[in-house]
Amino acid sequence: MPQLDKGIIGIRQFTVIVILLTLGDSILILPSGIAGSSHQDAWIAGILGLVFGLVAVWIFSVMGGFYPGLSLIQYTPLIAGKWLGIVLNLSFLIYFGFIVVSVSWEIGDFITSVVMPETPIEVIELLFYGMMVFAARLGIGPIIRASEIFFPWVMLTLFVLIVMLIPQMQLNQIQPILEKGIKPILLGTLHAGSFPYMEIFAVLIILPHIKQSQEIRKNFLIGALLGGIALNMVLAQSIFVLGEYLTAHRFYSSFALAQRINIANFFQRLETIIAFLWIITTYVKTTLYFYVLNVGLAQFLKLKEYKMLTVPTSMICYALIFISIPNASFFNAVLAKVWAFYNITICMIIPLLLVGIYFIRNNKLKRSGGKTQG
């Protein structure tokens, strides 16, 4: 089946995009959510969440090997049947749209509340959507190459942040361990595993563009593992430096962490570092999700071109930011109480259902083939 975009992705570029998707918006807001559930044991929940997330990524890699050359939207009806396939594909597309809306709202809220408080959020979102539409229309190749250029700067920025805060780490901040039992850790694990790792799900749309398809599974897992290790380092450092209370009650806790940098009263207040890091990773994540939303929708509608959809879908997503997210309190409540379960439903339960149907049908075909030959 012909692809709507002829761009090619190298296996190293694929690993880079998985790392950046894992970091995404999680690098700034994940510590707050986990600390709110697991308190000083958030670092334990982060490690368990990494294991949980790698299981989800392994499932994605298994699905990606079912029909090489086809995207998620193209092979779902082949596995689930026409009508169930339509329902599942619609649920995937709605999910992609929700990610675009929610993550772009985060960027607007962060910039208007922390960086440029006097600028209307509508202006920030308009500029952001303009860049996003421009990138999506260029295609997957330029998006991936731009991400590859940003990647070393993101890693360098993250390294500087972690190293400069080592003198302020206080190990007693994680004590007492397991003070409130195992339940808060399990709740934190649910949040830590579903939020960053399951949202890598979108790459199932772009897998047909990867040249070395036989190496996808290994690099899928390597990218998620490396991104997860970086996230867990930031999470642990947030607890060690800020403590569980401040981490839980500062939504942008990583930004608060960067404000603590102070070396000899000279090298200090480097919060623009974490702002730079987060804006890049979030832009990459939102742009990729916007791209897969449009490509997936074009494949669903069996169109020959996806670029005609970018402007109307961006207008819808832009409007939904202000319709569906009235304020930060509402967003935080949804993130804490609903989003993990929504992620698990779309990115783990449905993929497991598809994997099960695929293997059951294959086994039936093999048995019927064996009987025919006999």
Side-chain angles (χ1 to χ4, degrees), residues 3-9 93 96 100 132-144 202 205-207 209 284-299 306-307 309-310 313:
Q3 297 299 323
L4 300 176
D5 187 350
K6 303 300 182 182
I8 300 296
I9 304 172
L93 293 171
F96 297 154
V100 171
M132 193 169 64
V133 170
F134 177 73
R137 291 178 69 88
L138 289 176
I140 190 62
I143 294 173
I144 297 298
I205 299 289
I206 66 171
L207 288 186
H209 297 279
V284 170
K285 179 175 180 175
T286 316
T287 301
L288 187 69
Y289 259 93
F290 183 71
Y291 171 82
V292 301
L293 169 64
N294 284 279
V295 170
L297 183 59
Q299 291 173 343
Y306 78 91
K307 294 179 183 179
L309 299 173
T310 54
T313 53

Side-chain angles (χ1 to χ4, degrees), residues 226-304:
L226 293 176
I229 290 171
L231 279 178
N232 275 287
M233 291 175 70
V234 173
L235 170 62
Q237 201 159 42
S238 297
I239 301 297
F240 285 135
V241 175
L242 298 176
E244 62 94 4
Y245 182 83
L246 283 178
T247 301
H249 289 82
R250 292 289 297 268
F251 185 59
Y252 301 115
S253 55
S254 298
F255 187 79
L257 193 65
Q259 290 177 319
R260 293 295 187 95
I261 295 176
N262 186 352
I263 298 177
N265 291 321
F266 174 74
F267 207 61
Q268 57 184 328
R269 298 304 298 260
L270 300 179
E271 54 267 28
T272 50
I273 290 179
I274 195 67
F276 169 77
L277 163 68
W278 187 72
I279 288 172
I280 287 177
T281 57
T282 306
Y283 175 72
V284 170
K285 179 175 180 175
T286 316
T287 301
L288 187 69
Y289 259 93
F290 183 71
Y291 171 82
V292 301
L293 169 64
N294 284 279
V295 170
L297 183 59
Q299 291 173 343
F300 180 75
L301 298 174
K302 294 181 170 54
L303 303 178
K304 295 182 179 180

Side-chain angles (χ1 to χ4, degrees), residues 30-47:
L30 186 66
S32 174
I34 302 177
S37 301
S38 304
H39 309 288
Q40 68 269 25
D41 295 320
W43 63 278
I44 301 175
I47 294 171

Side-chain angles (χ1 to χ4, degrees), residues 109-121:
D109 180 71
F110 174 73
I111 292 177
T112 54
S113 61
V114 176
V115 183
M116 302 169 65
E118 295 183 4
T119 305
I121 189 173

Side-chain angles (χ1 to χ4, degrees), residues 46-346:
I47 294 171
L48 295 176
L50 173 58
V51 176
F52 182 36
L54 289 177
V55 172
V57 171
W58 180 80
I59 294 170
F60 301 159
S61 68
V62 170
M63 287 181 62
F66 286 164
Y67 295 94
L70 297 184
S71 78
L72 173 71
I73 299 297
Q74 292 169 324
Y75 62 66
T76 294
L78 301 179
I79 297 174
K82 180 180 178 181
W83 297 110
L84 181 57
I86 289 174
V87 172
L88 294 181
N89 276 340
L90 281 173
S91 69
F92 295 147
L93 293 171
I94 291 170
Y95 176 75
F96 297 154
F98 278 154
I99 293 287
V100 171
V101 170
S102 62
V103 179
S104 56
W105 177 87
E106 289 170 9
I107 282 191
D109 180 71
F110 174 73
I111 292 177
T112 54
S113 61
V114 176
V115 183
M116 302 169 65
E118 295 183 4
T119 305
I121 189 173
E122 293 84 358
V123 175
I124 299 296
E125 297 292 359
L126 193 62
L127 292 172
F128 183 75
Y129 269 75
M131 293 188 296
M132 193 169 64
V133 170
F134 177 73
R137 291 178 69 88
L138 289 176
I140 190 62
I143 294 173
I144 297 298
R145 288 193 293 274
S147 303
E148 197 175 16
I149 292 171
F150 290 143
F151 179 70
W153 297 105
V154 169
M155 292 294 103
L156 178 62
T157 304
L158 191 59
F159 176 77
V160 169
L161 175 69
I162 292 170
V163 169
M164 288 189 174
L165 285 169
I166 289 176
Q168 298 189 44
M169 293 173 63
Q170 301 176 35
L171 297 182
N172 64 325
Q173 296 277 26
I174 64 171
Q175 297 172 348
I177 297 174
L178 296 176
E179 179 187 21
K180 299 184 180 180
I182 194 70
K183 185 178 178 181
I185 294 178
L186 294 178
L187 289 174
T189 299
L190 193 70
H191 196 80
S194 66
F195 186 43
Y197 308 104
M198 293 188 186
E199 293 182 5
I200 309 174
F201 183 65
V203 300
L204 291 178
I205 299 289
I206 66 171
L207 288 186
H209 297 279
I210 299 173
K211 289 187 292 186
Q212 301 101 318
S213 57
Q214 69 279 4
E215 298 181 32
I216 286 176
R217 182 172 301 178
K218 179 183 74 173
N219 286 273
F220 217 151
L221 290 168
I222 289 173
L225 176 62
L226 293 176
I229 290 171
L231 279 178
N232 275 287
M233 291 175 70
V234 173
L235 170 62
Q237 201 159 42
S238 297
I239 301 297
F240 285 135
V241 175
L242 298 176
E244 62 94 4
Y245 182 83
L246 283 178
T247 301
H249 289 82
R250 292 289 297 268
F251 185 59
Y252 301 115
S253 55
S254 298
F255 187 79
L257 193 65
Q259 290 177 319
R260 293 295 187 95
I261 295 176
N262 186 352
I263 298 177
N265 291 321
F266 174 74
F267 207 61
Q268 57 184 328
R269 298 304 298 260
L270 300 179
E271 54 267 28
T272 50
I273 290 179
I274 195 67
F276 169 77
L277 163 68
W278 187 72
I279 288 172
I280 287 177
T281 57
T282 306
Y283 175 72
V284 170
K285 179 175 180 175
T286 316
T287 301
L288 187 69
Y289 259 93
F290 183 71
Y291 171 82
V292 301
L293 169 64
N294 284 279
V295 170
L297 183 59
Q299 291 173 343
F300 180 75
L301 298 174
K302 294 181 170 54
L303 303 178
K304 295 182 179 180
E305 173 65 53
Y306 78 91
K307 294 179 183 179
M308 69 179 75
L309 299 173
T310 54
V311 173
T313 53
S314 67
M315 294 172 66
I316 293 171
C317 290
Y318 180 84
L320 284 174
I321 293 174
F322 310 105
I323 295 171
S324 61
I325 308 175
N327 51 58
S329 298
F330 174 84
F331 182 82
N332 293 343
V334 171
L335 200 65
K337 299 176 182 178
V338 178
W339 196 255
F341 299 101
Y342 183 47
N343 268 342
I344 290 171
T345 301
I346 298 295

